[in-house]
Amino acid sequence: MDKYFEYVHTVGFEETNLVGNVYYVNYLRWQGRCREMFLKERAPEVLADLRNDLKLFTLRVDCEFFAEITAFDELSIRMRLAQLAQTQVEFSFDYVRLEPNGGEAMVARGSQRVACMRGPNTKTVPARVPEALIRALEPYAAARL
C-alpha cells in the first residue's frame, strides 16, 4: 500500500450535533488541519514562503461518508498526493476510525484541490508549485507521478 501522511484526531463534543453525530463541516476542517500539519512537519520551507508571497487557494473540496462517527472516536486522517500539475495539487484523504482493539474502519473519503498563487491580493496570478512542496509530497504519491 502507498504511504500516507497521518494526522490523528480525537472527536470532541463540540464537533457533534444533539444526536451525537459529527457535523459535516468538521470533516473538511480536518482535511485542512491535516494539510497544515503536513506543511509544518514535512515542508517548513513552504510555510516560510506562505508568510511571504505564496498563497494556497482551495479550489474544490469533497467528502463521501461510509459510517457515522461520534464523540471520542479516534480518527486517523490519511493524506496522499493524488495529482500534481504545474500550478495545482490534489490531495486525497481517508478517514479511518481507530478501534480500541487495534482494528480500523474506513468511515469517509475525501479530496481537495489547491492552486498555488502569487502576487498582491488585487493581482494574484497562478504560480508553479514550489519545489520544496513537490519534494515533500513525493513519498505520499498515490500513484507514480
Side-chain angles (χ1 to χ4, degrees):
M1 178 171 222
D2 42 347
K3 192 174 173 186
Y4 50 82
F5 177 81
E6 179 179 49
Y7 165 66
V8 176
H9 178 77
T10 302
V11 177
F13 283 131
E14 76 278 4
E15 297 170 310
T16 64
N17 58 26
L18 290 174
V19 179
N21 301 325
V22 169
Y23 290 115
Y24 174 83
V25 71
N26 288 303
Y27 290 84
L28 306 181
R29 286 181 52 241
W30 299 332
Q31 283 185 19
R33 184 72 172 160
C34 184
R35 188 180 79 185
E36 290 167 3
M37 291 300 98
F38 168 78
L39 291 173
K40 179 182 181 243
E41 294 176 25
R42 303 285 191 247
E45 309 91 354
V46 176
L47 284 181
D49 204 4
L50 284 167
R51 290 185 191 100
N52 293 318
D53 191 35
L54 179 65
K55 296 168 180 68
L56 298 178
F57 286 10
T58 302
L59 303 175
R60 182 184 52 78
V61 63
D62 66 58
C63 192
E64 180 181 10
F65 304 98
F66 307 126
E68 294 288 343
I69 56 174
T70 59
F72 303 109
D73 279 345
E74 188 168 359
L75 296 178
S76 168
I77 295 94
R78 299 172 179 175
M79 183 184 84
R80 293 180 179 85
L81 171 63
Q83 185 180 37
L84 177 63
Q86 288 185 7
T87 63
Q88 297 182 12
V89 179
E90 185 164 339
F91 302 98
S92 66
F93 297 87
D94 290 338
Y95 299 79
V96 177
R97 182 175 44 232
L98 304 175
E99 307 290 352
N101 65 4
E104 297 183 345
M106 178 81 79
V107 296
R109 180 170 289 136
S111 67
Q112 187 176 110
R113 190 160 193 85
V114 176
C116 295
M117 308 287 278
R118 291 191 185 273
N121 289 338
T122 57
K123 296 188 181 181
T124 305
V125 296
R128 288 191 172 274
V129 175
E131 284 298 319
L133 182 55
I134 293 170
R135 283 192 309 275
L137 286 169
E138 281 176 353
Y140 306 103
R144 198 79 201 192
L145 299 177

